[in-house]
């Protein structure tokens, strides 16, 4: 596909790898924030092309992974109710809640449906006026414009049988929380390109300045990631801490103003709990006053559901970048994509799933013969 | 709404957030919504920069060894 395949060119990748090797004189720890980038890095072996000592630390940018257990439990409680059509992106269905997952609810008779877009859920509400249609609205700034538009349409059409269970999270406060943490090892960030396609990158200069940390807006194809790394390493070696854009074909400084306008109308910034990390102040969106009637949490009175995490799963440390997936004692043993202990092993953006799917539980010898 | 061709698969996509988009343009789509129009000029420029990278080294420098893969754990 145009503008994808060109950015996967092997020859250009070796040129970039050579450039990177010429730049680096010291060890550095760089975090890619987005789970989509984690998958691209592991799938393409980009971490293995880097000079000795340059470490990729995988960030918390996997929406499914950071959705708190109690929100999953609330989703399960709503989905099990008669008369409800519960709609979600596919990733969410296998994420284990305290006792079961959405697939189990479906097998027990719950009407759980996988949709491609929140607009599909709005259409279901229009076609099923006698049912309550609930959409599981999780995600970062990338997914929020779609959810905002679905809510905007539902409100305009006075759809009283549509609501959303919301657990929206924001990238910049998470970056700040990582930099504030005592266990932090991150010295530079690849910012998530698609989040920035919506929000732009005007939010980042104060963070780069405050923590003296380079931030480079980066895309998702192998060459995009290597260029992001090249630019971030140049800054690190020179002792600079600026915001740079290595994904210029998609991201502008201002971002998508149309989307930002609707986001500001539909959502208010709020404190938000992140699975494995805890509450980060002002790090999420909830429905604004004008849209409060579409809040499934209140409509189904599930706010009182609370949950306790399993001690077997180390996904919190993985999400904070404190542990590599294959350093977890349960990785590939008790925990596999078929039998996940935590969301990081389920999601197509989860770091544990990336390590498992691309064979990072095998030794180099086993990989060669695989 | 508009129709977007994903390498052969055509889907209906909401174009409300990219009012400037025209037939034949490239776009980034997420969960049924076009979020950004791809700036083709910028894409070509980036690829050109990659192609020119290290040209001087290749002509005058030492020949480089092939990629050495670091040991995985």
């Amino acid at each position: 596909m145009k503008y994808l395949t060109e950015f996967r060119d092997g020859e250009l990748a070796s040129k970039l790898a050579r450039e990177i090797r010429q730049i680096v004189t010291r060890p550095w720890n760089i975090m890619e924030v987005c789970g989509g980038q984690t998958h691209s890095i592991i799938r393409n072996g980009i971490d293995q092309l880097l000079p000795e000592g340059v470490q990729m630390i995988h960030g918390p940018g996997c929406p499914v992974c950071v959705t708190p257990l109690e929100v999953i439990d609330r989703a399960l409680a709503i989905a099990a109710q008669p008369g409800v059509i519960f709609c979600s992106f596919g990733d969410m269905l296998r994420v284990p809640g305290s006792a079961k997952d959405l697939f189990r609810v479906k097998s027990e008779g719950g009407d759980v449906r996988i949709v491609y877009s929140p607009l599909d859920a709005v259409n279901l509400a229009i076609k099923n006026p006698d049912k309550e249609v609930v959409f599981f609205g999780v995600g970062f700034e990338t997914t929020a414009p779609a959810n905002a538009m679905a809510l905007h349409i539902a409100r305009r059409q006075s759809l009283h049988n549509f609501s959303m269970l919301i657990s929206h999270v924001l990238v910049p406060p998470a970056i700040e929380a990582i930099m504030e943490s005592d266990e932090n090892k991150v010295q530079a960030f690849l910012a998530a390109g698609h989040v920035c396609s919506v929000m732009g990158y005007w939010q980042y200069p104060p963070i780069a300045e405050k923590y003296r940390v380079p931030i480079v807006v980066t895309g998702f194809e192998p060459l995009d990631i290597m260029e992001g790394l090249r630019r971030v390493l140049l800054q690190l070696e020179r002792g600079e801490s600026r915001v740079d854009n290595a994904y210029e074909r998609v991201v502008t400084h201002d971002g998508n103003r149309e989307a930002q306008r609707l986001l500001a109308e539909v959502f208010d910034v709020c404190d938000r709990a992140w699975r494995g990390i805890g509450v980060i102040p002002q790090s999420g969106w909830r429905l604004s006053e004008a849209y409060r009637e579409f809040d499934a949490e209140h409509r189904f009175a599930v706010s009182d559901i609370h949950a306790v995490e399993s001690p077997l799963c180390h996904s919190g440390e993985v999400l904070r970048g404190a542990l590599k997936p294959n350093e977890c004692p349960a990785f590939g043993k008790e925990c596999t994509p078929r039998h996940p202990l935590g969301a990081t092993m389920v999601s197509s953006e989860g770091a544990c799933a990336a390590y498992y799917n691309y064979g990072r539980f095998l030794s180099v010898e086993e990989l060669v013969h695989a | 709404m508009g129709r977007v061709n994903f390498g052969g698969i055509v889907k209906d996509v909401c174009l409300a957030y990219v009012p400037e988009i025209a037939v034949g343009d490239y776009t980034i789509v997420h969960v049924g919504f076009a979020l950004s129009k791809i700036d083709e000029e910028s894409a070509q420029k980036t690829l050109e920069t990659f192609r020119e990278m290290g040209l001087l080294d290749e002509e005058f420098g030492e020949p480089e060894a092939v990629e050495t893969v670091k040991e995985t754990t």
Side-chain angles (χ1 to χ4, degrees):
Chain A
M1 243 191 288
K2 197 143 168 76
Y3 302 121
L4 287 181
T5 34
E6 296 96 323
F7 287 86
R8 294 172 185 166
D9 184 279
E11 209 171 301
L12 295 182
S14 18
K15 280 191 177 188
L16 277 161
R18 203 176 301 146
E19 287 282 319
I20 287 172
R21 277 199 299 275
Q22 283 172 358
I23 294 167
V24 173
T25 64
R26 276 166 288 174
W28 297 107
N29 294 325
I30 303 162
M31 177 176 274
E32 85 281 5
V33 173
C34 174
Q37 290 170 333
T38 305
H39 271 252
S40 188
I41 287 165
I42 303 301
R43 176 182 182 172
N44 295 294
I46 293 171
D47 54 330
Q48 297 170 332
L49 289 175
L50 297 175
E52 198 69 45
V54 176
Q55 285 285 333
M56 296 309 301
I57 298 180
H58 313 307
C62 161
V64 172
C65 306
V66 299
T67 302
L69 185 55
E70 56 199 29
V71 176
I72 311 275
D73 284 351
R74 288 169 191 171
L76 297 169
I78 295 171
Q81 293 192 20
V84 166
I85 300 176
F86 193 88
C87 305
S88 169
F89 298 135
D91 267 14
M92 221 54 194
L93 269 70
R94 285 196 304 120
V95 175
S98 293
K100 50 177 95 165
D101 58 25
L102 281 166
F103 267 125
R104 172 70 76 81
V105 171
K106 189 175 170 67
S107 73
E108 290 169 354
D111 194 349
V112 178
R113 303 195 193 180
I114 295 174
V115 293
Y116 166 67
S117 160
L119 293 184
D120 298 340
V122 172
N123 284 329
L124 275 172
I126 294 169
K127 284 185 194 137
N128 296 275
D130 54 332
K131 301 271 190 184
E132 277 288 335
V133 175
V134 183
F135 181 74
F136 203 174
V138 300
F140 282 88
E141 293 93 326
T142 328
T143 316
N147 292 348
M149 184 63 80
L151 288 157
H152 178 71
I153 292 169
R155 185 162 176 259
R156 208 177 50 196
Q157 303 206 1
S158 306
L159 269 183
H160 298 297
N161 65 328
F162 179 79
S163 61
M164 228 182 251
L165 180 63
I166 299 233
S167 189
H168 263 302
V169 280
L170 304 170
V171 167
I175 290 184
E176 290 205 61
I178 288 162
M179 291 312 295
E180 292 283 348
S181 157
D182 294 337
E183 67 190 359
N184 176 50
K185 298 180 287 193
V186 179
Q187 294 163 299
F189 288 92
L190 304 184
H194 292 158
V195 165
C196 296
S197 73
V198 174
M199 301 305 291
Y201 51 92
W202 49 269
Q203 296 167 301
Y204 293 111
I207 300 175
E209 198 173 319
K210 179 173 175 191
Y211 299 102
R212 306 214 155 275
V213 65
I215 302 174
V216 177
V217 179
T218 302
F220 295 79
E221 297 309 317
L223 296 190
D224 289 319
I225 290 175
M226 295 185 76
E227 174 64 1
L229 284 167
R230 188 186 72 83
R231 294 200 195 183
V232 105
L233 285 161
L234 263 180
Q235 286 200 49
L236 286 168
E237 290 282 342
R238 290 173 181 162
E240 297 170 351
S241 47
R242 284 178 295 107
V243 176
D244 189 11
N245 180 11
Y247 198 30
E248 279 173 307
R249 68 184 183 281
V250 171
V251 174
T252 58
H253 174 267
D254 289 354
N256 188 321
R257 287 288 183 196
E258 296 283 335
Q260 289 170 36
R261 191 162 47 232
L262 193 60
L263 288 169
E265 182 191 316
V266 175
F267 297 118
D268 284 341
V269 173
C270 65
D271 294 350
R272 179 70 74 195
W274 296 52
R275 193 171 190 173
I277 295 172
V279 174
I280 303 176
Q282 304 292 290
S283 70
W285 274 321
R286 63 170 179 209
L287 291 174
S288 67
E289 198 57 49
Y291 284 84
R292 205 56 60 78
E293 59 173 308
F294 294 98
D295 191 343
E297 204 178 303
H298 294 298
R299 190 174 295 188
F300 296 91
V302 290
S303 306
D304 289 341
I305 295 177
H306 296 286
V308 184
E309 292 280 352
S310 153
L312 269 179
C313 182
H314 290 266
S315 61
E317 290 153 78
V318 171
L319 285 167
R320 293 196 301 270
L323 191 75
K324 292 255 185 207
N326 51 6
E327 290 166 359
C328 170
F331 178 82
K333 299 186 182 82
E334 295 93 337
C335 186
T336 65
R338 286 181 75 98
H339 298 285
L341 287 179
T344 46
M345 188 55 102
V346 176
S347 171
S348 60
E349 293 180 290
C352 297
Y355 273 61
Y356 192 91
N357 291 338
Y358 302 116
R360 293 297 174 88
F361 51 89
L362 302 169
S363 68
V364 170
E365 211 163 58
E366 284 172 312
L367 272 174
V368 169
H369 293 103
Chain B
M1 301 291 279
R3 285 153 62 78
V4 176
N5 185 342
F6 297 82
I9 298 164
V10 178
K11 285 183 96 99
D12 287 329
V13 163
C14 177
L15 303 177
Y17 292 129
V18 284
E20 75 281 14
I21 210 144
V23 172
D25 283 343
Y26 290 84
T27 176
I28 298 282
V29 175
H30 183 65
V31 296
F33 286 75
L35 295 180
S36 168
K37 182 185 144 179
I38 293 180
D39 180 347
E40 296 190 58
E41 200 177 310
S42 160
Q44 298 300 353
K45 213 174 86 190
T46 305
L47 287 168
E48 204 43 52
T49 319
F50 293 160
R51 286 188 200 111
E52 282 165 8
M53 225 167 241
L55 276 184
L56 285 176
D57 294 339
E58 275 165 34
E59 276 177 44
F60 305 111
E62 290 287 308
E64 271 272 345
V66 286
E67 311 301 345
T68 45
V69 175
K70 205 165 69 179
E71 186 131 343
T72 49
T73 49

